[in-house]
Amino acid sequence: MIRFVPGQEKKQFTVLRKSSKRNTRGKVIYGYDPQKPVSSFLGSLSQASQKEIEQWNQNGHPITHTVVVYRCCDARSEDIVVVENRKFYVQGKRNPAELGFFDVLFCNESMANGLIGGDDNVNDENNTGSALETAQTNG
């Protein structure tokens, strides 16, 4: 029997995948549509250990948290997983035993904060582009 520390029990996560769309000027805009989730899974969220943080920083992909998924999930790098009101950008995925029983997602919470519902939202009705693109166009 697995004993959980309070706050690490199984929670329902939703996976959002990056999609693209062209704006009126033909530029491709990438974003995450919260209305079209790819899948969901049960997992346990925890802070990454100092060793894991250093290993991922050396590869140029900083992480803050890990999510242990019971059974396999559809999440992959560059996806966003959402639980309750928190969002996590997936930097990598590992199958520890290579048997398909568990997956470990290595995530960064701070990277996902501006990607959903912000200026880069793909389902923008006006399709005008991001604030960065507008600033670059205006000089």
Side-chain angles (χ1 to χ4, degrees), residues 30-100:
Y30 295 97
Y32 297 86
D33 189 357
Q35 305 301 323
K36 297 179 183 177
V38 175
S39 65
S40 62
F41 60 86
L42 289 175
S44 176
L45 177 67
S46 66
Q47 289 186 346
S49 69
Q50 190 63 36
K51 180 180 177 183
E52 291 170 333
I53 291 171
E54 289 299 322
Q55 286 175 340
W56 284 88
N57 275 338
Q58 288 177 1
N59 291 333
H61 300 285
I63 64 167
T64 58
H65 291 80
T66 59
V67 178
V68 178
V69 181
Y70 304 97
R71 299 182 182 83
C72 290
C73 68
D74 291 337
R76 59 184 184 202
S77 295
E78 297 187 350
D79 284 350
I80 290 183
V81 292
V82 180
V83 59
E84 297 162 356
N85 292 330
R86 299 175 72 182
K87 304 170 207 73
F88 299 92
Y89 184 81
V90 179
Q91 294 281 26
K93 178 178 174 179
R94 183 171 57 111
N95 185 352
E98 296 187 10
L99 296 173

Side-chain angles (χ1 to χ4, degrees), residues 6 22 28 33 48 51 64 72 95 97 122 125 127 129-130 133 135 138:
R22 290 194 183 270
V28 178
D33 189 357
K51 180 180 177 183
T64 58
C72 290
N95 185 352
V122 174
E125 289 83 19
N127 202 10
S130 67
E133 179 186 340
N138 294 337

